[in-house]
Amino acid sequence: MSATLRFDNIGKVFPGVRALDGVSFDVHAGQVHGLMGENGAGKSTLLKVLGGEYQPDSGRILIDGQEVRFANAAASIAAGIAVIHQELQYVPDLTVAENLLLGRLPNAFGFVNKRRAQQFVRERLAAMGVDLDPNAKLGRLSIAQRQMVEICKALLRNARVIALDEPTSSLSHRETEVLFKLVRDLQADGRALIYISHRMDEIYALCDSCTIFRDGRKVASHASLADLKRETLVAEMVGREITDIYNYRPRELGAVRLAVDGIEGHGVRERASFTVRAGEIVGFFGLVGAGRSELMHLVYGAQKKRAGRLTLDGTAIETNSPTQAIRHGIVLCPEDRKEEGIVAMASVAENINISCRRHHLRMGLFLDRAKEAQTADRFIERLRIKTPGRRQKIRFLSGGNQQKAILSRWLAEPDLKVVILDEPTRGIDVGAKHEIYNVIYELAERGCAVVMISSELPEVLGVSDRVVVMREGRISGELKRGDANEAALLSLALPQGASRQAA
């Protein structure tokens, strides 16, 4: 039986880097085929070739045995292909319904029939089990809700071939379950699916087969995952064995470095108080929408607080803006790196130096370009950022390498005291996660107070010295490392009604 989709010797070259090198594999109808590999291995590039955003420099794509060429994304969509990219693509000022039906809104005599569009979308979302308001503006929704809109957009096109790139990276547990059901329904309906994820549990739960990428090449394919050990997959992905991804490093803790007392504001319903000691890693866990990011935005000055105060090393401080926070040595790596973290049109070097640039001035007026180049090169090497060079535009890097550049920006700060990391490993491969955890330990070992927000229970348990849990805009409890486990954290994170039902 011929494959529904075949990649035949696909090659793609960008200036200074070979992104894809002779990639070949098949995906069959009714099959979920996993793609795995480190960030920058070429997975997302392959999906952009499939989606018509890039044209291959060599090789062919075949659908049902027939060669196809896509001059643009519209041609790919017309051929029955839907690609859901890791970096979301939406129009923030349009509604959910308008985004889902963009390009094919129902109309009469040139006027859009909004009522008909909303009714159609409401019915389809209900059939999928997705709880979204068709009239809501995309820009006002959470990242998780925007992710669900992107997924639903592809499903509404009734595509035969569907590719999903890290679709659960921002989803809550409930939303992930909805997605899994949708994927299984599509599989049962005979669609051919490609599924990219760095989460091993998802690959083993959903995929029938998988292909491993490394440095733009296919290094292995497995027709079945039934007897395949996870250690084998990890070794094939990173080219080395990683026995303990978290590799927790205990350390001596100092005095309280940051004290947050009674802070309240947008997204935080009840005054929140917590402390972080010098050298301590405090994990913040909770369901999506629990208020973790909002609380840290108040601490960082990205949102105005209504009440509360901050104390740094025993001295009361004000952080009414991110600039003020940075001057005090408090920095934030945001969850949404595309919207809030990177300057997309700037180079890797500029993104690394953008905060510490004030330290690179000569006579207070002139930038020391040589010093900036040295700083960029040092962190590109130290964090193993995959880039042709410091002058490469950061938007051409994979998500994981963009995240490393944001981390480098703060590591370059000479007077760092508090580091807040919001979902620092979202959409990042196992090898890069291991490297980022080591950076977190290094920060703690040099006396920084580290706050790490994560929706991944194993990550919170594996890295943190102490875990604070939030629920519905409130701090619901905290546990020391020795007392923390998945059941205890979930009990604190779930709404009280849900907790009683689960019990």
Side-chain angles (χ1 to χ4, degrees):
M1 184 178 69
S2 65
T4 299
L5 171 65
R6 170 169 290 177
F7 294 105
D8 180 24
N9 203 36
I10 298 292
K12 181 65 182 176
V13 178
F14 295 108
V17 61
R18 182 174 291 278
L20 295 171
D21 188 0
V23 172
S24 300
F25 65 90
D26 297 344
V27 184
H28 295 274
Q31 180 186 64
V32 183
H33 190 93
L35 281 190
M36 302 187 73
E38 292 189 280
N39 292 103
K43 309 180 301 298
S44 296
T45 300
L46 184 69
L47 293 199
K48 289 180 179 180
V49 169
L50 177 65
E53 293 184 49
Y54 297 154
Q55 281 67 52
D57 297 319
S58 60
R60 306 178 299 162
I61 296 175
L62 296 93
I63 304 290
D64 293 328
Q66 300 296 313
E67 183 176 351
V68 293
R69 290 187 177 274
F70 304 132
N72 48 45
S76 175
I77 292 168
I81 293 169
V83 179
I84 302 164
H85 295 287
Q86 180 181 357
E87 301 297 343
L88 306 183
Q89 300 173 339
Y90 56 87
V91 184
D93 292 329
L94 296 183
T95 66
V96 169
E98 290 165 337
N99 270 274
L100 288 174
L101 298 176
L102 200 59
R104 53 196 186 99
L105 284 159
N107 64 86
F109 306 108
F111 294 95
V112 173
N113 188 330
K114 290 188 177 181
R115 181 176 296 178
R116 185 178 161 197
Q118 291 165 3
Q119 183 61 28
F120 173 78
V121 167
R122 185 174 283 108
E123 291 173 357
R124 293 304 299 270
L125 291 178
M128 294 177 191
V130 177
D131 183 19
L132 285 171
D133 178 6
N135 298 318
K137 293 284 183 72
L138 256 288
R140 297 177 183 172
L141 299 183
S142 68
I143 294 177
Q145 290 171 318
R146 295 177 216 166
Q147 184 85 294
M148 287 304 295
V149 170
E150 283 297 293
I151 293 165
C152 293
K153 186 192 300 182
L155 301 182
L156 283 175
R157 291 174 183 156
N158 203 30
R160 294 181 58 232
V161 176
I162 301 172
L164 303 97
D165 191 354
E166 294 289 349
T168 66
S169 60
S170 298
L171 300 188
S172 68
H173 179 71
R174 182 193 169 280
E175 290 163 329
T176 298
E177 288 181 337
V178 171
L179 173 68
F180 279 21
K181 182 182 182 301
L182 291 173
V183 169
R184 291 182 178 116
D185 289 347
L186 290 166
Q187 181 183 13
D189 197 38
R191 315 293 176 90
L193 295 107
I194 296 174
Y195 193 92
I196 295 179
S197 179
H198 295 305
R199 297 176 177 177
M200 291 282 187
D201 289 343
E202 293 183 11
I203 294 294
Y204 277 90
L206 287 179
C207 298
D208 308 292
S209 56
C210 71
T211 292
I212 314 298
F213 279 30
R214 189 164 72 240
D215 298 328
R217 299 182 179 90
K218 182 187 83 171
V219 296
S221 276
H222 300 280
S224 172
L225 278 71
D227 299 317
L228 186 64
K229 293 182 178 179
R230 298 189 180 206
E231 294 80 4
T232 302
L233 277 183
V234 172
E236 289 173 344
M237 284 170 56
V238 303
R240 62 191 188 280
E241 186 177 355
I242 297 178
T243 54
D244 180 7
I245 183 175
Y246 303 112
N247 193 28
Y248 175 75
R249 293 173 4 199
R251 72 210 76 83
E252 290 291 328
L253 304 184
V256 170
R257 171 135 279 181
L258 175 69
V260 176
D261 183 21
I263 201 166
E264 187 180 6
H266 172 72
V268 180
R269 299 182 185 177
E270 190 175 278
R271 292 193 176 191
S273 301
F274 66 92
T275 61
V276 192
R277 296 166 67 181
E280 187 178 25
I281 302 168
V282 175
F284 266 72
F285 179 71
L287 305 181
V288 172
R292 300 163 301 163
S293 298
E294 291 82 356
L295 174 57
M296 296 310 156
H297 284 176
L298 294 171
V299 172
Y300 186 58
Q303 289 283 345
K304 187 175 181 179
K305 58 181 179 289
R306 292 192 295 266
R309 65 173 191 157
L310 304 180
T311 304
L312 185 67
D313 292 331
T315 302
I317 62 166
E318 289 292 338
T319 56
N320 295 317
S321 69
T323 301
Q324 224 177 352
I326 293 167
R327 300 286 184 190
H328 287 301
I330 302 172
V331 301
L332 168 72
C333 290
E335 176 186 12
D336 190 343
R337 58 178 168 258
K338 181 181 178 183
E339 295 293 331
E340 300 174 356
I342 64 168
V343 181
M345 298 306 294
S347 68
V348 175
E350 289 169 315
N351 272 274
I352 290 173
N353 284 290
I354 196 169
S355 174
C356 65
R357 181 159 277 173
R358 66 189 187 280
H359 301 296
H360 299 161
L361 294 175
R362 291 181 296 181
M363 296 183 291
L365 295 172
F366 305 103
L367 276 177
D368 189 335
R369 298 289 185 184
K371 191 171 183 179
E372 291 211 339
Q374 290 171 3
T375 299
D377 289 342
R378 176 159 54 93
F379 285 105
I380 287 169
E381 181 179 359
R382 179 179 168 188
L383 270 68
R384 299 204 294 178
I385 300 173
K386 290 184 180 178
T387 174
R390 75 176 92 93
R391 295 186 180 89
Q392 173 73 298
K393 293 282 191 292
I394 198 169
R395 64 191 177 93
F396 293 121
L397 270 58
S398 68
N401 285 297
Q402 290 176 0
Q403 186 77 320
K404 289 181 182 180
I406 297 169
L407 275 172
S408 299
R409 177 187 306 164
W410 301 129
L411 290 170
E413 280 285 343
D415 302 317
L416 204 54
K417 293 180 179 177
V418 179
V419 182
I420 303 169
L421 305 166
D422 194 349
E423 302 286 2
T425 64
R426 181 173 69 88
I428 291 180
D429 64 79
V430 65
K433 281 184 178 182
H434 184 67
E435 294 166 4
I436 286 174
Y437 298 146
N438 283 331
V439 171
I440 292 173
Y441 297 138
E442 287 175 21
L443 286 167
E445 285 162 359
R446 77 188 220 193
C448 290
V450 180
V451 175
M452 184 187 73
I453 297 173
S454 177
S455 300
E456 292 191 39
L457 267 173
E459 180 172 81
V460 171
L461 292 168
V463 176
S464 306
D465 301 306
R466 181 162 50 95
V467 182
V468 176
V469 183
M470 292 192 70
R471 178 179 65 218
E472 297 176 332
R474 303 173 178 88
I475 290 178
S476 56
E478 68 173 65
L479 294 167
K480 294 180 181 178
R481 181 178 179 82
D483 300 325
N485 56 57
E486 293 198 9
L489 294 186
L490 282 173
S491 177
L492 290 168
L494 289 169
Q496 290 181 328
S499 297
R500 286 194 294 270
Q501 291 172 7

